């Protein structure tokens, strides 16, 4: 009896194990390939739920049906204008033919390795066919912002002009996507999207690029500085010219006023001293005395002609001095003596 129960228990255990290995589940994010002795049998299982297979001799190979990520490593590559840049790319892909995928790649690690080769190669080809500006910019037909204070000459020099873009980064990405999608389709993979994550200059050429940028900006700054110095010199020249003009006009006006005043004074003097002969003689005498005061000082030596107007009063003073005891001094001699005393 015990033997019978043992046999029944063994049969039950084998049945339980067989049932457990014959039943499997597929989730909503998976699809499965059933292999028998390592070879796929039947159609891929793409629906979720409880499934059956032959126990022990068949194996379930689960394949992800979600959108998967590929994130490549940054790699250095040259552009068409011979600039080495470091390009970091990422993509999204999905397994659309699980049987083909299983036969060609088996697992996701192999798929990632194959994507590294294909996307890296196509990226290198696309970058080599385009200049750097086409890869880093997307907007075409851009208009640069210009300072409203720029003159027409400065605007004509086309300062700050932008390099024209014929394709742009979006179309370069599209080229890479179309070329790579054809090559990965044979592996049962659908490439969904591809984008540049980072584009940077290579470490070895980055200092040279920065130096060139600094040099270009310095040239622009020096040109602006020279133009500013020229404008400053022009303004200073205009200031000096205007100042000289103002001073000359003021001097001319002062001299005109002074001439008018002197003429008026002379007219007043003429009308005042031309009333009588004595007044004329007195005016002549006072003006000569004023001339003596301005000309003669201590230690002055005069060399005069005998017919000089200045000499006649000095000669009269000498004659008056010699005849002082015989004749009373006239008015002229007294004034001359007083003027001579005052000058001494």
């Amino acid at each position: 009896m015990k033997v019978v129960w043992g046999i029944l228990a063994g049969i039950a255990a084998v049945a339980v194990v067989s049932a457990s290995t014959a039943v499997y589940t597929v989730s909503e994010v998976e699809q499965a390939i059933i292999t028998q002795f390592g070879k796929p049998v039947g159609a891929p299982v793409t629906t979720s739920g409880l499934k059956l297979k032959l126990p022990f001799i068949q194996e379930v190979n689960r394949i992800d049906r979600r959108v998967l990520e590929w994130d490549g490593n940054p790699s250095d590559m040259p552009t068409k204008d011979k600039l080495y840049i470091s390009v970091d790319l990422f993509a999204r892909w999905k397994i659309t033919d699980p049987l083909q995928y299983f036969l060609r790649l088996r697992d996701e690690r192999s798929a990632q390795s194959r994507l590294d080769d294909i996307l890296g190669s196509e990226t290198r080809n696309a970058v080599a066919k385009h200049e750097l500006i086409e890869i880093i910019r997307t907007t075409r037909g851009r208009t640069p912002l210009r300072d409203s204070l720029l003159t027409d000459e400065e605007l004509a020099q086309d300062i700050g002009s932008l390099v024209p873009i014929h394709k742009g980064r979006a179309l370069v990405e599209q080229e890479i996507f179309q070329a790579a999608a054809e090559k990965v389709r044979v592996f049962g993979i659908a490439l969904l999207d591809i984008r540049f994550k980072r584009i940077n200059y290579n470490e070895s050429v980055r200092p040279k690029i920065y130096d060139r940028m600094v040099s270009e900006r310095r040239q622009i700054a020096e040109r602006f500085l020279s133009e500013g110095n020229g404008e400053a010199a022009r303004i200073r020249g205009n200031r000096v010219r205007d100042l000289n003009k103002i001073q000359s006009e003021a001097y001319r006006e002062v001299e005109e006023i002074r001439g008018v005043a002197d003429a008026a004074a002379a007219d007043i003097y003429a009308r005042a001293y031309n009333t009588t002969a004595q007044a004329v003689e007195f005016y002549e005498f006072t003006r000569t005395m004023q001339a003596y005061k301005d000309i003669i000082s201590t230690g002055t030596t005069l060399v005069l002609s005998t017919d000089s107007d200045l000499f006649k009063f000095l000669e009269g003073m000498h004659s008056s001095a010699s005849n002082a005891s015989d004749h009373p001094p006239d008015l002229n001699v007294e004034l001359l003596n007083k003027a001579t005393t005052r000058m001494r």
Side-chain angles (χ1 to χ4, degrees):
M1 192 67 181
K2 291 182 178 180
V3 175
V4 175
W5 282 108
I7 294 174
L8 292 176
I11 294 173
V14 171
V16 170
V17 172
S18 299
S20 63
T21 57
V23 177
Y24 66 96
T25 58
V26 177
S27 68
E28 290 81 0
V29 297
E30 293 177 336
Q31 47 193 343
I33 297 292
I34 305 299
T35 58
Q36 184 172 321
F37 302 114
K39 294 182 180 181
V41 294
V45 180
T46 57
T47 58
S48 60
L50 188 64
K51 309 295 179 180
L52 296 175
K53 66 178 182 66
L54 295 177
F56 303 114
I57 63 174
Q58 289 185 346
E59 184 180 355
V60 179
N61 298 273
R62 302 181 184 276
I63 299 174
D64 205 326
R65 65 187 302 175
R66 293 173 296 184
V67 175
L68 302 175
E69 177 184 0
W70 175 85
D71 192 357
N73 295 322
S75 57
D76 297 336
M77 55 191 69
T79 62
K80 184 179 180 180
D81 45 354
K82 307 303 180 184
L83 295 176
Y84 277 85
I85 58 176
S86 177
V87 179
D88 192 358
L89 202 69
F90 74 93
R92 296 294 182 266
W93 59 283
K94 185 178 181 180
I95 302 170
T96 56
D97 190 344
L99 181 58
Q100 190 70 13
Y101 173 83
F102 181 78
L103 292 174
R104 301 293 296 269
L105 300 174
R106 287 281 175 172
D107 54 19
E108 186 176 339
R109 185 176 64 179
S110 299
Q112 292 284 358
S113 177
R114 189 55 60 90
L115 287 172
D116 289 340
D117 297 337
I118 296 174
L119 293 178
S121 175
E122 295 302 328
T123 302
R124 188 178 300 274
N125 293 337
V127 170
K129 292 189 298 183
H130 299 88
E131 296 182 353
L132 178 62
I133 190 66
E134 300 283 352
I135 301 173
I136 62 176
R137 298 303 297 262
T138 58
T139 307
R140 290 183 290 175
R142 299 167 298 156
T143 302
L145 297 177
R146 297 183 182 275
D147 195 339
S148 58
L149 300 178
L150 291 177
T151 63
D152 295 338
E153 295 180 356
E154 293 172 339
L155 292 174
Q157 295 175 1
D158 205 14
I159 298 175
S161 60
L162 302 177
V163 179
I165 298 175
H166 303 288
K167 288 188 177 181
R169 187 176 65 245
L171 292 181
V172 175
E173 291 173 343
Q174 189 66 23
E175 288 182 5
I176 299 174
F177 173 80
Q178 292 175 355
E182 291 294 330
K183 293 184 177 181
V184 301
R185 189 175 292 115
V186 298
F187 301 105
I189 294 174
L191 192 62
L192 303 179
D193 193 15
I194 186 172
R195 288 288 184 272
F196 288 116
K197 183 167 65 175
R198 182 187 295 272
I199 299 174
N200 208 344
Y201 288 114
N202 184 275
E203 292 292 339
S204 61
V205 301
R206 190 179 302 174
K208 298 180 181 178
I209 298 298
Y210 290 159
D211 291 341
R212 187 177 69 179
M213 295 170 61
V214 170
S215 177
E216 292 175 353
R217 298 305 183 273
R218 184 177 290 114
Q219 289 178 0
I220 296 175
E222 290 177 353
R223 183 171 58 80
F224 283 145
L225 182 61
S226 64
E227 292 176 357
N229 291 334
E231 184 67 15
R234 186 184 65 80
I235 293 174
R236 285 193 293 267
N238 292 338
R239 179 181 62 83
V240 174
R241 183 194 62 191
D242 294 342
L243 180 61
N244 293 334
K245 180 179 178 182
I246 293 172
Q247 289 177 343
S248 63
E249 291 178 353
Y251 178 77
R252 178 178 57 80
E253 186 175 356
V254 167
E255 292 300 322
E256 289 178 354
I257 295 173
R258 184 174 294 163
V260 172
D262 290 343
D267 182 66
I268 293 172
Y269 282 138
R271 285 188 281 103
Y273 291 111
N274 284 335
T275 55
T276 61
Q278 291 80 7
V280 172
E281 185 179 356
F282 178 73
Y283 175 72
E284 180 182 358
F285 176 74
T286 56
R287 295 297 293 177
T288 304
M289 291 300 104
Q290 182 66 35
Y292 285 158
K293 183 177 180 181
D294 295 338
I295 295 173
I296 302 173
S297 62
T298 303
T300 301
T301 301
L302 294 177
V303 179
L304 300 174
S305 174
T306 56
D307 58 352
S308 172
D309 293 336
L310 294 176
F311 182 73
K312 66 180 180 179
F313 289 109
L314 295 176
E315 183 181 13
M317 181 179 66
H318 177 70
S319 300
S320 299
S322 60
N323 299 327
S325 58
D326 300 331
H327 303 284
D330 57 6
L331 178 61
N332 292 345
V333 173
E334 291 180 359
L335 291 176
L336 180 62
N337 291 335
K338 292 180 180 180
T340 305
T341 304
R342 214 167 26 244
M343 287 189 290
R344 290 175 182 175

